[in-house]
Amino acid sequence: MKSVDVLIGLQWGDEGKGKIVDFLAPEYDIIARFQGGPNAGHTLEFNGEKHIMHSIPSGIFHPAKINIIGNGVVFDPVIFNKEISELISCGLNPSENLYIYKRTHFILPVHRLLDAALEKAKGTSKIGSTLKGIGPAYTDKYARHGLRIGDIDNYDFIDKYNNIKKLQLKNFHSLNFDENDFLIDNLPFLEYEKLWLETIELIKHFKRIDGEIYINEQIKNGKTILAEGAQGTLLDVDFGSYPYVTSSNTVASAACTGLGISPSHIRKIFGVFKAYCTRVGSGPFPTEQDNETGEMLRTKGNEYGSTTGRPRRCGWLDLPALQYATTINAVDALFMMKVDALDNLEQIPVCSAYAINDEIIEYLPFNLENLELKPVYTNFKGWNNFNNQYHLPEEFVNYIKYIEKKTNTPISLVSMGADRSKTIVLYDFMK
Ligand code: IMO
Ligand code: MG
């Protein structure tokens, strides 16, 4: 039986994946992260409190559910430990229901240094990384000398650690920086490294599992799994706006390699998108409103990064990009987020195509940085605020019908606010 559903972001991240995973968690036995790392910032809100998860799955507030960090994730013990402390202060006991794959790779302190140095060396063409060491950690994984969670139980852990550190410090110095040029989370390198190594001891309180065996066993026993994506399709290392992307595959198919499950176990693909667009960091963004309109969207949507606090770049919904994302992920159900941020506008433009010189195209071209590329907008009449699923304003229905037509995918859920309760299910997408 197919029992794994995959939930992914369809834009440049920050679509609201955390809220939806928390909302859907009661329907599943296991919630698992399969890629990315603490560059993610998944926000959950309920009972008047807000929680931000970076490396821990967003199902963690449901103590009866198993939460798993998969092999496709890169893992920072210091950030993880901070998250754990916050969960404990909320009265949870995450060491009971949170497991980590032994095959998950570590983000080392030197990866944080390298991330900062590589970004600085890029100057004006910097990626706008969250500087969490994601790129350098994946680089070491694929260069086949990464350090993994399972290694902490081996006698030669510290030797392996020192070998990678030595090698990567050499790379770091070759960029003409020294350790004192950067602070990591406000600490000098050596102090941060001390903290990092101490934290490794705390990780030993958590179950480190042969995850690929465990998860397949659970599937065999009829358990259901929700795979929680991080970032978004337009940040995918292969299909995003390269090189302004993250260093992992963020598309739905990554759930298979990031957890060790076969594609034949995948049941549904859920795609999360915002009713408009945002991007944090550099790179092309055709519908960006670098003006008062963008400022208005930023204020109405409170668009500030949950991982870095950076103001997000804002713009209108980009349908050729959304259509691209729904196609390569074969999305079964769309979840539209932050509808309330568009409440009470007179007019809502949507990018329905691009113009390149005199040619109109409706697909996402290879080169989004083409200066001649201009969005073509279709204007929709705005709606007054609403929170009643039985009386959707006609203007809003027109807006979603158009998106459904263009993406050939049903909008099955809309979110009207950050709180769990502000969620309207339009179709039963679980069937
Ligand atoms: P969630 O899961 C939004 C962006 C960064 C930068 C680029 C590369 O919360 O949606 P990296 O740190 O991966 O080297 O940064 O990707 N980025 C995100 N933007 N949401 C995220 O995660 C992101 N994770 C990375 O801003 O442009
Ligand atoms: Mg984010």
Side-chain angles (χ1 to χ4, degrees):
M1 211 189 64
K2 295 180 192 287
S3 52
V4 184
D5 293 342
V6 185
L7 180 140
I8 38 138
L10 298 176
Q11 294 162 319
W12 283 286
D14 304 327
E15 296 92 351
K17 298 175 290 292
K19 166 178 169 166
I20 296 297
V21 171
D22 170 59
F23 178 77
L24 293 181
E27 309 288 331
Y28 296 88
D29 299 303
I30 298 172
I31 295 90
R33 279 277 307 268
F34 57 89
Q35 49 71 230
N39 48 350
H42 293 181
T43 307
L44 292 67
E45 238 177 278
F46 51 87
N47 301 340
E49 275 180 39
K50 181 170 161 174
H51 308 274
I52 302 176
M53 306 323 298
H54 298 289
S55 39
I56 296 176
S58 304
I60 198 68
F61 287 90
H62 302 267
K65 309 293 170 181
I66 300 295
N67 284 259
I68 296 187
I69 297 176
N71 59 280
V73 172
V74 284
F75 179 90
D76 184 322
V78 176
I79 295 175
F80 174 80
N81 192 41
K82 270 194 207 138
E83 286 176 71
I84 293 295
S85 304
E86 283 168 28
L87 292 172
I88 290 173
S89 71
C90 294
L92 295 169
N93 186 6
S95 61
E96 293 280 318
N97 65 328
L98 177 58
Y99 307 164
I100 313 170
Y101 275 45
K102 288 183 192 163
R103 293 179 186 276
T104 305
H105 280 249
F106 276 114
I107 300 172
L108 307 187
V110 73
H111 293 143
R112 300 286 304 270
L113 273 187
L114 261 178
D115 215 1
L118 288 166
E119 277 286 79
K120 197 150 190 201
K122 284 194 169 105
T124 52
S125 51
K126 73 175 178 163
I127 288 164
S129 165
T130 60
L131 302 179
K132 301 295 176 196
I134 306 294
Y138 277 117
T139 303
D140 274 354
K141 169 177 174 172
Y142 289 104
R144 296 165 296 182
H145 50 238
L147 194 64
R148 297 182 294 172
I149 300 290
D151 292 323
I152 62 179
D153 298 311
N154 290 344
Y155 69 95
D156 61 350
F157 176 76
I158 203 69
D159 294 339
K160 276 189 181 161
Y161 172 87
N162 281 326
N163 285 340
I164 303 168
K165 175 181 152 188
K166 197 164 138 202
L167 178 80
Q168 290 302 14
L169 273 181
K170 222 191 260 174
N171 277 339
F172 173 74
H173 292 140
S174 75
L175 293 163
N176 289 326
F177 292 111
D178 81 65
E179 287 88 319
N180 299 321
D181 288 334
F182 302 101
L183 293 176
I184 311 176
D185 293 348
N186 297 318
L187 292 177
F189 177 67
L190 287 179
E191 268 179 58
Y192 183 81
E193 183 186 47
K194 187 167 167 277
L195 175 67
W196 193 94
L197 288 168
E198 283 165 6
T199 315
I200 291 293
E201 289 306 310
L202 301 174
I203 304 303
K204 295 187 176 165
H205 297 300
F206 286 85
K207 255 198 197 158
R208 301 171 306 285
I209 58 169
D210 293 309
E212 67 283 17
I213 294 170
Y214 171 83
I215 211 156
N216 281 294
E217 195 75 36
Q218 298 303 307
I219 291 172
K220 213 165 93 192
N221 294 338
K223 303 286 187 208
T224 54
I225 298 161
L226 178 62
E228 173 182 2
Q231 291 80 54
T233 299
L234 304 177
L235 288 171
D236 182 279
V237 66
D238 283 286
F239 303 106
S241 43
Y242 193 88
Y244 300 101
V245 293
T246 191
S247 296
S248 67
N249 281 116
T250 61
V251 288
S253 45
C256 294
T257 51
L259 291 169
I261 53 175
S262 161
S264 62
H265 292 306
I266 306 291
R267 194 184 69 113
K268 298 260 180 202
I269 313 288
F270 303 138
V272 188
F273 74 105
K274 259 193 282 222
Y276 49 101
C277 278
T278 63
R279 179 164 200 169
V280 59
S282 342
F285 181 0
T287 62
E288 179 171 16
Q289 300 295 309
D290 191 10
N291 50 32
E292 276 173 15
T293 304
E295 193 55 54
M296 176 274 293
L297 287 170
R298 188 173 307 120
T299 307
K300 279 175 76 91
N302 189 24
E303 294 294 354
Y304 295 89
S306 43
T307 297
T308 57
R310 292 177 289 180
R312 295 178 184 142
R313 300 157 63 194
C314 297
W316 299 117
L317 186 62
D318 184 333
L319 282 179
L322 189 65
Q323 202 256 339
Y324 175 82
T326 49
T327 301
I328 62 171
N329 291 296
V331 171
D332 293 296
L334 285 167
F335 302 161
M336 183 158 90
M337 312 301 288
K338 286 209 161 174
V339 170
D340 54 310
L342 296 188
D343 282 350
N344 309 320
L345 294 179
E346 218 152 271
Q347 186 174 272
I348 303 174
V350 172
C351 167
S352 45
Y354 303 128
I356 303 180
N357 297 321
D358 287 337
E359 197 194 345
I360 301 287
I361 60 166
E362 290 198 16
Y363 59 87
L364 200 69
F366 173 74
N367 182 11
L368 264 186
E369 287 183 278
N370 181 347
L371 292 177
E372 308 301 328
L373 183 138
K374 301 269 182 302
V376 178
Y377 288 104
T378 303
N379 288 313
F380 285 81
K381 198 161 173 274
W383 52 83
N384 292 328
N385 57 317
F386 65 99
N387 198 2
N388 182 341
Q389 70 185 99
Y390 303 106
H391 295 287
L392 299 178
E394 189 189 336
E395 295 84 359
F396 177 67
V397 173
N398 290 340
Y399 190 70
I400 60 176
K401 288 284 164 224
Y402 187 69
I403 300 167
E404 288 182 326
K405 193 175 110 203
K406 284 281 187 180
T407 57
N408 204 19
T409 315
I411 295 181
S412 305
L413 176 155
V414 294
S415 172
M416 313 299 302
D419 196 87
R420 246 185 215 168
S421 61
K422 298 209 166 134
T423 313
I424 299 179
V425 174
L426 299 176
Y427 301 110
D428 183 3
F429 47 85
M430 295 296 282
K431 273 202 208 131

